[in-house]
DNA sequence: ATTCTTGCGTACCGTACGGTACGGTTCCGT
DNA sequence: ACGGAACCGTACCGTACGGTACGCAAGAAT
């Protein structure tokens, strides 16, 4: 892959640089710091260009979401044959990645922005964030647990329900807490391990650690 | 208990009425609709009184959170002797109540407000909402699972971790989705039942429905 | 060289907000 | 009956935002 190949079809490099500045402002100062004048000043561009490129403020916010989503690509090279240990390893990797993504500065800032903008009727931003932000993660996890089932390592009726169970076990109320300003976990890996343990106890086909503690990482 | 005994020490009835109007405005129109002028008009009071009573805008928001929290009281009359069925019943009731509370208009609006106001450093609002809003629910659930353990019906090392597991199984990512504008579940009871099933499979001391479907509520 | 495009910098406009000040009214204590 | 506190309605102020308009410089095309 060419290192400077720009896969993002939406915007020119200049516009991407502006969006990067917009994200920086948003992360550093919250929504109130993301003003058209401030962005123009920070990105060395004119307000007129902003409106020419993104239409209006909501267009800018949408572009920021799309830009950020395009930056996060999930590696889904999982052609290998699955064993129980391999499945567990992949699940824990997914859990750690998920926790890391959710705790990221930009993710939190964008979620705060969309939620703050969101009303009872559901804003465009919310839909967009859910669609762009979650699709990658969802697909990766669904593919993984589907593979686990086909390999006879997992057992469930509804893949969607099983995925939601896994998600809940991993994240619990941590996401909302962080959105409200609380600091994240001190050890994501530990949480990931516990969540996968529980998930395999619920949906695994082999004896899990529920009774006998696992050999690794003695607590 | 006297029917009009006002347990809220913070505010006078008049002020509570104003706060009620403020919540109404917030629920109906989002944060942008909650303006001092608008509230004064809707509540038939003067802006001067608003600032006299609540100090400034943040004081008003804090007062709204406290007011709403004071309205939600959890009945914790659980002196009865616990059996396995009773524990399950109480857990499911808790789950249903939790889902109902989180999906409530006022709860969603206040959470959106606090999150939107929240920066990286954590705002006063976020802390306040977490403290006032979660304490009741947390205490009720912790008391319940603690009782379950003492009765020999539950098994876990860390009560806090077990509670977070329960919470995650019940809520998953539903809260964030609703905050972003998605509609809630169609059947909270079903979700509650599944979550409690899973929780008891993980932490119960008796054979659960993991292999044999329960007799009640055939899916 | 001339034109045309692009976009920067700045000035500007209307609006709406948070917060304050003031006159008039109601009500309560004395 | 009188005085003062509480409070309503409205007008007001400074500010800062989203969005628009204009002047000018730099680069490409012809």
């Amino acid at each position: 892959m060419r290192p400077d190949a720009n896969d993002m079809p939406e915007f020119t490099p200049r516009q991407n640089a502006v969006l990067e500045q917009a994200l920086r402002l948003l992360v550093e100062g919250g929504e109130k710091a993301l003003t058209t004048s401030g962005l123009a000043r920070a990105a060395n561009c004119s307000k007129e260009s902003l409106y020419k490129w993104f239409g209006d403020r909501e267009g800018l916010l949408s572009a920021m979401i799309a830009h950020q989503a395009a930056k996060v690509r999930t590696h889904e090279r999982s052609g290998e044959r699955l064993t129980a240990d391999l499945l567990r390893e992949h699940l824990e990797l997914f859990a750690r990645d998920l926790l890391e993504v959710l705790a990221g500065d930009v993710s939190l800032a964008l979620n705060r922005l969309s939620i703050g903008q969101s009303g009872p009727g559901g804003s465009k931003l919310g839909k967009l964030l859910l669609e762009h932000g979650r699709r990658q993660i969802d697909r990766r996890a669904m593919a993984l647990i589907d593979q686990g089932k086909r390999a006879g390592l997992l057992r469930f009726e509804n893949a969607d329900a099983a995925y939601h169970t896994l998600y809940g076990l991993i994240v619990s109320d941590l996401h909302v807490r962080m959105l409200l300003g609380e600091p994240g976990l001190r050890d994501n890996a530990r949480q990931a391990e516990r969540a996968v343990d529980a998930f395999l106890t619920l949906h695994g086909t082999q004896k899990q650690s529920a009774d006998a503690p696992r050999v690794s990482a003695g607590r």
Side-chain angles (χ1 to χ4, degrees), chain A:
Chain A
M1 43 185 165
R2 296 160 298 171
D4 55 351
N6 217 327
D7 292 323
M8 307 176 234
E10 303 267 27
F11 310 111
T12 72
R14 173 69 174 130
Q15 290 164 10
N16 281 325
V18 171
L19 291 176
E20 207 62 36
Q21 287 297 314
L23 284 177
R24 192 177 62 81
L25 286 181
L26 180 66
V27 166
E28 289 178 0
E31 178 184 356
K32 67 178 181 58
L34 183 57
T35 162
T36 52
S37 311
L39 176 57
R41 209 174 309 120
N44 286 328
C45 72
S46 76
K47 289 170 68 172
E48 194 168 13
S49 301
L50 291 181
Y51 286 101
K52 178 178 210 109
W53 293 333
F54 307 111
D56 58 359
R57 193 167 193 268
E58 183 170 318
L60 172 67
L61 304 182
S62 302
M64 289 169 64
I65 292 178
H67 171 69
Q68 174 65 14
K71 284 198 307 188
V72 180
R73 284 268 171 259
T74 101
H75 48 108
E76 40 185 313
R77 48 166 192 90
S78 52
E80 27 195 354
R81 184 114 182 85
L82 267 192
T83 67
D85 284 347
L86 211 50
L87 174 62
R88 167 186 295 272
E89 200 175 319
H90 280 174
L91 284 173
E92 285 194 12
L93 180 61
F94 167 75
R96 286 197 301 271
D97 285 358
L98 176 58
L99 288 172
E100 193 181 331
V101 165
L102 292 186
D105 285 346
V106 185
S107 165
L108 285 177
L110 280 178
N111 273 276
R112 288 201 187 99
L113 178 68
S114 298
I115 288 177
Q117 220 71 14
S118 215
S123 70
K124 295 289 176 204
L125 275 302
K127 271 183 135 65
L128 216 125
L129 187 68
L130 238 17
E131 219 160 302
H132 278 70
R134 285 290 183 50
R135 209 171 31 194
Q136 311 280 349
I137 286 273
D138 287 4
R139 274 223 284 257
R140 174 177 167 192
M142 287 294 281
L144 188 54
I145 67 176
D146 228 50
Q147 230 179 350
K149 183 178 189 181
R150 277 201 305 273
L153 297 169
L154 293 179
R155 162 180 47 92
F156 50 81
E157 301 170 7
N158 186 342
D160 221 62
Y163 169 51
H164 276 86
T165 298
L166 175 62
Y167 191 102
L169 286 170
I170 295 172
V171 178
S172 189
D173 63 342
L174 179 64
H175 199 189
V176 174
R177 295 190 101 96
M178 291 191 300
L179 287 173
L180 282 167
E182 275 204 358
L185 264 45
R186 268 169 314 185
D187 190 355
N188 282 350
R190 188 157 143 62
Q191 170 79 359
E193 188 183 316
R194 273 206 310 226
V196 172
D197 266 12
F199 180 72
L200 289 179
T201 301
L202 286 172
H203 292 291
T205 54
Q206 314 195 354
K207 273 282 164 287
Q208 282 311 133
S209 63
D211 302 302
R214 295 168 53 212
V215 34
S216 76
R219 26 195 97 155

Coordinates of all heavy atoms in Angstrom, one line a residue, chain A residues 35-36 47-48 51 56-57, chain D residues 17-23:
Chain A
T35 N -15.7 27.3 17.1 CA -16.5 28.3 16.5 C -15.9 28.6 15.1 O -14.7 28.3 14.8 CB -16.4 29.6 17.3 OG1 -16.8 30.7 16.5 CG2 -15.0 29.8 17.9
T36 N -16.7 29.0 14.2 CA -16.2 29.3 12.8 C -15.0 30.2 12.8 O -14.0 30.0 12.2 CB -17.4 29.8 12.0 OG1 -17.9 30.9 12.6 CG2 -18.4 28.7 11.8
K47 N -13.4 32.2 6.9 CA -14.7 31.7 7.2 C -15.4 31.4 5.9 O -16.2 30.5 5.8 CB -15.5 32.7 8.0 CG -15.0 32.8 9.4 CD -15.6 34.0 10.2 CE -17.1 33.8 10.4 NZ -17.6 34.8 11.3
E48 N -15.2 32.3 4.9 CA -15.9 32.1 3.6 C -15.6 30.7 3.0 O -16.4 30.0 2.5 CB -15.5 33.2 2.6 CG -16.4 33.2 1.4 CD -16.2 34.5 0.6 OE1 -15.2 35.2 0.9 OE2 -17.1 34.8 -0.2
Y51 N -17.5 28.0 4.7 CA -18.9 27.8 4.3 C -19.0 27.3 2.9 O -19.9 26.6 2.5 CB -19.6 29.2 4.5 CG -19.9 29.4 5.9 CD1 -19.2 30.3 6.7 CD2 -21.0 28.8 6.5 CE1 -19.4 30.5 8.0 CE2 -21.2 29.0 7.9 CZ -20.5 29.9 8.6 OH -20.7 30.1 9.9
D56 N -22.6 24.6 6.0 CA -22.9 25.4 7.2 C -22.3 24.6 8.4 O -21.5 23.7 8.2 CB -24.4 25.5 7.4 CG -25.1 24.2 7.5 OD1 -24.4 23.2 7.3 OD2 -26.3 24.1 7.7
R57 N -22.7 25.0 9.6 CA -22.0 24.4 10.8 C -22.3 22.9 10.9 O -21.3 22.1 11.2 CB -22.5 25.1 12.0 CG -21.6 24.8 13.2 CD -21.9 25.7 14.4 NE -20.9 25.6 15.4 CZ -21.0 24.8 16.5 NH1 -22.1 24.0 16.6 NH2 -20.1 24.7 17.4
Chain D
dC17 P -17.6 33.3 20.0 OP1 -16.8 32.4 20.8 OP2 -16.9 34.3 19.1 O5' -18.6 32.4 19.1 C5' -19.7 31.8 19.7 C4' -20.9 32.0 18.8 O4' -21.2 33.5 18.8 C3' -20.7 31.7 17.3 O3' -21.1 30.3 17.1 C2' -21.6 32.6 16.6 C1' -22.0 33.7 17.6 N1 -21.7 35.1 17.1 C2 -22.7 35.8 16.5 O2 -23.8 35.3 16.3 N3 -22.5 37.1 16.1 C4 -21.2 37.6 16.3 N4 -21.0 38.9 15.9 C5 -20.2 36.9 17.0 C6 -20.5 35.7 17.4
dG18 P -20.5 29.6 15.7 OP1 -20.6 28.2 16.0 OP2 -19.2 30.3 15.3 O5' -21.6 30.0 14.7 C5' -22.9 29.6 14.9 C4' -23.8 30.1 13.8 O4' -23.8 31.6 13.8 C3' -23.4 29.7 12.4 O3' -24.6 29.5 11.6 C2' -22.7 30.9 11.9 C1' -23.3 32.1 12.6 N9 -22.4 33.2 12.8 C8 -21.2 33.2 13.4 N7 -20.6 34.3 13.6 C5 -21.5 35.2 13.0 C6 -21.5 36.6 12.8 O6 -20.6 37.4 13.2 N1 -22.6 37.1 12.2 C2 -23.6 36.4 11.8 N2 -24.6 37.1 11.2 N3 -23.7 35.1 11.9 C4 -22.7 34.5 12.5
dG19 P -24.4 28.8 10.1 OP1 -25.7 28.1 9.8 OP2 -23.2 28.0 10.1 O5' -24.3 30.0 9.2 C5' -25.4 30.9 9.1 C4' -25.0 32.2 8.4 O4' -24.1 33.0 9.2 C3' -24.3 32.0 7.0 O3' -25.1 32.5 6.0 C2' -23.0 32.7 7.1 C1' -23.3 33.7 8.2 N9 -22.1 34.1 8.9 C8 -21.1 33.4 9.6 N7 -20.2 34.1 10.1 C5 -20.5 35.4 9.8 C6 -19.8 36.6 10.0 O6 -18.7 36.8 10.7 N1 -20.4 37.7 9.5 C2 -21.6 37.6 8.7 N2 -22.0 38.8 8.3 N3 -22.2 36.5 8.5 C4 -21.6 35.5 9.0
dT20 P -24.7 32.5 4.5 OP1 -25.9 32.3 3.6 OP2 -23.5 31.6 4.3 O5' -24.2 34.0 4.3 C5' -25.0 35.1 4.6 C4' -24.4 36.4 4.2 O4' -23.3 36.7 5.1 C3' -23.9 36.5 2.8 O3' -24.3 37.6 2.2 C2' -22.3 36.5 3.0 C1' -22.2 37.2 4.3 N1 -21.0 36.8 5.0 C2 -20.1 37.8 5.5 O2 -20.3 39.0 5.2 N3 -19.0 37.4 6.1 C4 -18.7 36.1 6.4 O4 -17.6 35.8 7.1 C5 -19.6 35.1 6.0 C7 -19.3 33.7 6.3 C6 -20.7 35.5 5.3
dA21 P -24.0 37.9 0.6 OP1 -25.2 38.5 -0.1 OP2 -23.4 36.7 0.0 O5' -22.9 39.1 0.7 C5' -23.1 40.1 1.6 C4' -21.9 41.1 1.5 O4' -20.8 40.7 2.3 C3' -21.3 41.3 0.1 O3' -21.0 42.6 -0.2 C2' -20.1 40.4 0.1 C1' -19.6 40.6 1.6 N9 -18.9 39.5 2.1 C8 -19.2 38.2 2.0 N7 -18.3 37.4 2.6 C5 -17.4 38.2 3.2 C6 -16.2 38.0 4.0 N6 -15.8 36.8 4.3 N1 -15.5 39.1 4.4 C2 -16.0 40.3 4.0 N3 -17.1 40.7 3.3 C4 -17.7 39.6 2.9
dC22 P -20.6 43.0 -1.7 OP1 -21.4 44.2 -2.0 OP2 -20.6 41.9 -2.6 O5' -19.1 43.5 -1.4 C5' -18.8 44.3 -0.3 C4' -17.3 44.4 -0.1 O4' -16.8 43.2 0.6 C3' -16.5 44.5 -1.4 O3' -15.5 45.5 -1.3 C2' -15.8 43.1 -1.5 C1' -15.6 42.8 0.0 N1 -15.4 41.3 0.2 C2 -14.4 40.9 1.1 O2 -13.7 41.8 1.6 N3 -14.2 39.6 1.3 C4 -15.0 38.7 0.8 N4 -14.9 37.4 1.0 C5 -16.1 39.1 -0.1 C6 -16.2 40.4 -0.4
dG23 P -14.8 46.1 -2.6 OP1 -15.3 47.5 -2.7 OP2 -15.0 45.2 -3.8 O5' -13.3 46.2 -2.2 C5' -12.9 46.3 -0.8 C4' -11.5 45.8 -0.6 O4' -11.6 44.4 -0.3 C3' -10.6 45.9 -1.9 O3' -9.3 46.3 -1.5 C2' -10.6 44.5 -2.4 C1' -10.7 43.7 -1.1 N9 -11.3 42.4 -1.3 C8 -12.5 42.1 -2.1 N7 -12.8 40.8 -2.1 C5 -11.8 40.2 -1.3 C6 -11.7 38.9 -0.9 O6 -12.4 37.9 -1.2 N1 -10.6 38.7 0.0 C2 -9.7 39.7 0.4 N2 -8.7 39.4 1.2 N3 -9.9 41.0 0.0 C4 -10.9 41.2 -0.8

